[in-house]
Amino acid sequence: MPIAQLPSRDAAVEAQVFWLRFQKEIAAALILLIVAAVGFAAYRFYINRRNSTAAELLGRAKNPHDYQEVITSYPATPAGASAYLLLAEMQRNEKKFAEANATLQLFVDKYPERDFVPTARLAMAANLESMGKTDEALSIYQQVAVKYANTYNGPLALISQVPLLKATNRIEDARRVCEEILTKYRMPGPQIEGTRDDRMETIWAGEAMRQLRSLKPPERPKPAPGAASLPARPPGPGVPPMIAAPTAPIPAAAPTAGAMSPAGAPTPKKPK
């Protein structure tokens, strides 16, 4: 039985038919793609131009008013974020520690994901330290040390606590911080069981060792007063008690010739 063959179709004819049926839709899609590409290019040009202008303005800033202008005019640019930090540094140099902390707090609140947030927090702690607010400064140092332990700011926050703890006579806390640095921030080297510790010293471990050597040694507990006069403890079970050896009585000295008797009369001489 002969097999019926399907009629062959020309591909060019099919493409032409497809174009005639969907030419409007295809043209609209192409126009949208072109408009999107042009819009993205224009947006990138605008962003680059804006960032460049903000950077130029930041480079010319010389006083707090100039930095504030960059912050106000270009808030969403890298230069605008940097202006906060530079303004806070200028305020700190002018001994305006409270204003500097207010500026740094604005930076932290507005750019919480920036890489310089832990640096800003450490600067706030340093300003509090300059204002004599030791407890608040220690609190920030401790928060940074915990939250950013795997960054450069973690060990820096730890070692910054040591002078404050020493100044407040919290020697044991300072020693604990130094030991924590030695535990966490020493680069591991080749370790062989039964040999000495060959871990490489980092700058943080070296500073911790220096601070640790400057601390007073831990005080030993003093004995209670009168401990030396307490009676000796009774011997344990199975141990015979110690008995003092008896001492011989000391004989009285014989009276010498010419010595006076108790009654005041001269002592008689012995007969020959």
Side-chain angles (χ1 to χ4, degrees):
M1 180 177 179
I3 300 174
Q5 296 182 353
L6 296 175
S8 61
R9 295 183 178 180
D10 191 354
V13 174
E14 291 182 355
Q16 188 174 5
V17 171
F18 181 82
W19 167 252
L20 292 175
R21 290 183 60 185
F22 301 103
Q23 58 181 347
K24 293 182 179 180
E25 290 80 356
I26 295 173
L30 290 175
I31 292 173
L32 287 176
L33 288 175
I34 294 172
V35 170
V38 172
F40 180 75
Y43 173 76
R44 293 300 305 172
F45 176 79
Y46 168 77
I47 292 297
N48 292 336
R49 180 69 177 175
R50 182 179 176 84
N51 290 344
S52 177
T53 304
E56 292 177 2
L57 186 61
L58 180 63
R60 295 194 301 267
K62 301 296 182 183
N63 51 58
H65 179 269
D66 295 340
Y67 290 120
Q68 193 63 49
E69 183 180 356
V70 177
I71 292 171
T72 304
S73 303
Y74 303 97
T77 63
S82 299
Y84 279 101
L85 301 178
L86 295 174
L87 175 59
E89 182 182 5
M90 180 171 288
Q91 290 169 335
R92 173 178 171 80
N93 293 336
E94 296 175 354
K95 308 300 182 183
K96 299 178 180 178
F97 302 114
E99 295 181 13
N101 272 10
T103 302
L104 291 170
Q105 188 62 52
L106 287 174
F107 171 82
V108 172
D109 294 340
K110 193 166 187 177
Y111 308 100
E113 302 301 326
R114 292 273 181 172
D115 294 336
F116 286 107
V117 167
T119 304
R121 297 280 291 164
L122 290 178
M124 293 174 65
N127 291 335
L128 290 170
E129 186 177 346
S130 299
M131 290 188 289
K133 299 181 178 180
T134 304
D135 292 338
E136 296 180 31
L138 279 173
S139 177
I140 293 180
Y141 283 137
Q142 291 166 359
Q143 293 171 13
V144 173
V146 172
K147 188 173 182 179
Y148 304 98
N150 296 326
T151 67
Y152 176 88
N153 298 281
L156 178 58
L158 280 175
I159 203 66
S160 299
Q161 298 177 42
V162 178
L164 295 180
L165 294 171
K166 290 169 62 178
T168 54
N169 202 28
R170 296 166 61 180
I171 304 301
E172 291 305 317
D173 291 340
R175 181 176 287 105
R176 178 188 55 79
V177 171
C178 291
E179 292 172 352
E180 182 178 354
I181 295 173
L182 293 175
T183 302
K184 289 184 177 180
Y185 301 104
R186 294 178 72 182
M187 296 177 61
Q191 297 294 310
I192 302 176
E193 187 176 357
T195 61
R196 64 185 180 87
D197 189 355
D198 290 331
R199 288 182 295 178
M200 298 172 59
E201 297 291 344
T202 62
I203 182 175
W204 308 117
E207 180 62 19
M209 286 295 297
R210 189 184 71 82
Q211 293 285 355
L212 200 57
R213 285 192 293 267
S214 68
L215 298 176
K216 297 179 181 179
E219 297 182 357
R220 296 181 179 179
K222 297 180 180 180
S229 61
L230 294 177
R233 293 183 179 179
V239 180
M242 296 182 64
I243 302 175
T247 57
I250 301 175
T256 58
M260 298 296 292
S261 64
T267 305
K269 296 181 180 180
K270 292 182 179 181
K272 294 182 180 180

